[in-house]
Amino acid sequence: MVAPWRKAPVAKINLAIVGIGKIVRDQHLPAVAGNADYRLVAAASRHGRVEGIDNFTTIDEMLAAMPSIDAVSLCMPPQYRHAAAVKALAAGKHVFLEKPPGATLSEVADLQALAEANRVSLFASWHSRYAPAVEAAREFLAGTRIRSMRVVWKEDVRQWHPNQDWIWQAGGLGVFDPGINALSIVTRILPRPVFATAATLEFPENREAPIAASIAFTDAEGLDLEAEFDWRQTGRQSWDIVARTDAGEMLLSEGGARLSVDGRLVHEQPEREYPGLYQRFAEIIAAGRSDVDLAPLRHVADAFLLGRRKVVEAFHD
Ligand code: NAP
């Protein structure tokens, strides 16, 4: 744990966003607009623009032109995030990393060291951890014995990631792009760290990243945990975590939005993942700290290290 370096800032945080695409328009812009701690002052993107603020085509031009920027959210695909993060941190800006925080574990460690050296906050955001029922699931599991857990994350890639070439390229994570959201929840709600013992990754013959994966995990007490990720799902989509426990069967469904025990709904609240992320980012800036938990990315890296590879039918958008 590094000692805090800042007193609480008195003014609003002048924020810039880089990589204006789907997630910025769907989530970042409304979340920032709804948070009085921030003033959105600039955007940098090769093609995307945000109305009503200063727009640049590169982060270099933006940082040079606007020294008043305090913090930068980096929302481009993961393979291009480290280079931008180095520029922002070296310029003394606090940095919010979209998930996954980078393409490799080592490059994120490099960013942690740079943030510490420059005495600014680095936030590796995991939006699914801020889904409404995740903390209730964590509390439920803390009070009982878990016999087994199944994670089933199956969605239609054509519906959720149409024409996103980067996601199929090396470093784009493929099915682990949504799968890492499940792992971010699992690593938050379980009482002990887990580790992979076996994995199978299915690669379309024409792609660099997997379309499906299954991973078996255990923990120091022999937990039986299996995760299944599949992008070929049509019809009903599932983002479910089921735990058989001494206190009944827990179902955390809809990506962490609803919690049921033995079929009875026990927790459901309106979705506020990105408002929660921006609240947390402002808190760590005020406290002079970073928040970088690499466990979800480490599990994906372990699956790539340990996984048996199967080549499957080509995938075309
Ligand atoms: P996206 O729309 O495909 O990409 C975001 C923007 O990044 C693009 O519009 C593009 O803007 C810029 N970009 C693309 N390729 C680039 C490159 N080679 N170099 C620099 N910039 C590049 O993707 P997204 O869905 O918003 O996802 C971005 C990140 O957010 C990913 O890490 C993803 O996992 C995460 N995320 C996405 C979702 C979702 O539902 N989509 C949800 C949560 C988190 P310009 O062309 O204007 O530069």
Side-chain angles (χ1 to χ4, degrees):
M1 175 80 59
V2 180
W5 52 79
R6 288 264 166 104
K7 289 202 183 99
V10 285
K12 285 190 184 228
I13 299 162
N14 285 331
L15 181 76
I17 304 189
V18 184
I20 308 303
K22 184 174 189 316
I23 197 60
V24 170
R25 295 200 176 90
D26 289 355
Q27 297 290 346
H28 288 255
L29 296 178
V32 171
N35 188 323
D37 286 333
Y38 296 93
R39 185 189 299 115
L40 184 64
V41 294
S45 211
R46 296 163 311 168
H47 309 94
R49 286 180 61 81
V50 178
E51 290 310 311
I53 57 172
D54 288 307
N55 284 272
F56 301 86
T57 49
T58 68
I59 187 171
D60 309 77
E61 288 171 82
M62 182 181 80
L63 293 172
M66 298 193 62
S68 62
I69 291 169
D70 299 308
V72 181
S73 292
L74 299 178
C75 305
M76 68 287 282
Q79 299 99 318
Y80 312 106
R81 205 166 287 133
H82 175 263
V86 166
K87 290 172 184 173
L89 294 169
K93 314 303 179 190
H94 307 293
V95 169
F96 176 128
L97 301 169
E98 245 305 345
K99 53 77 29 174
T104 70
L105 289 162
S106 303
E107 71 178 34
V108 186
D110 180 61
L111 299 180
Q112 285 180 280
L114 190 57
E116 206 180 310
N118 284 281
R119 302 174 72 78
V120 288
S121 298
L122 181 67
F123 183 32
S125 71
W126 297 111
H127 65 87
S128 292
R129 284 189 177 171
Y130 293 75
V134 167
E135 290 309 302
R138 176 181 161 96
E139 279 163 36
F140 174 80
L141 293 177
T144 184
R145 187 177 70 91
I146 307 165
R147 298 176 192 169
S148 64
M149 185 178 268
R150 296 285 172 270
V151 178
V152 182
W153 234 247
K154 293 187 176 182
E155 60 176 48
D156 182 353
V157 65
R158 290 190 175 88
Q159 180 181 345
W160 301 102
H161 299 281
N163 304 311
Q164 285 190 323
D165 287 339
W166 62 263
I167 221 162
W168 290 107
Q169 290 161 2
L173 294 198
V175 76
F176 288 111
D177 177 83
I180 203 168
N181 298 334
L183 296 173
S184 75
I185 295 177
V186 166
T187 49
R188 175 70 193 160
I189 64 178
L190 282 176
R192 281 177 298 279
V194 292
F195 50 93
T197 55
T200 302
L201 312 186
E202 297 183 37
F203 287 76
E205 63 183 15
N206 60 338
R207 302 284 179 168
E208 294 170 357
I211 195 165
S214 58
I215 315 175
F217 294 91
T218 192
D219 70 2
E221 302 210 348
L223 177 69
D224 165 15
L225 165 58
E226 280 182 15
E228 255 190 280
F229 307 137
D230 204 321
W231 251 349
R232 298 164 296 197
Q233 180 85 349
T234 51
R236 188 185 168 271
Q237 310 283 288
S238 63
W239 299 282
D240 296 339
I241 298 173
V242 179
R244 287 180 53 245
T245 79
D246 286 356
E249 185 174 277
M250 182 202 89
L251 169 62
L252 181 60
S253 58
E254 294 174 25
R258 286 164 61 95
L259 182 70
S260 309
V261 176
D262 288 335
R264 192 173 55 84
L265 182 66
V266 293
H267 194 94
E268 183 180 40
Q269 278 174 0
E271 193 277 306
R272 58 177 316 278
E273 293 180 14
Y274 278 76
L277 287 178
Y278 273 98
Q279 185 181 327
R280 175 70 180 151
F281 188 39
E283 282 167 9
I284 65 169
I285 291 172
R289 294 196 177 282
S290 288
D291 178 350
V292 181
D293 177 10
L294 290 177
L297 187 60
R298 200 172 59 237
H299 291 310
V300 171
D302 285 356
F304 276 95
L305 276 172
L306 197 62
R308 203 166 56 85
R309 286 165 189 246
K310 253 173 82 178
V311 176
V312 297
E313 189 182 18
F315 175 84
H316 300 285
D317 258 318

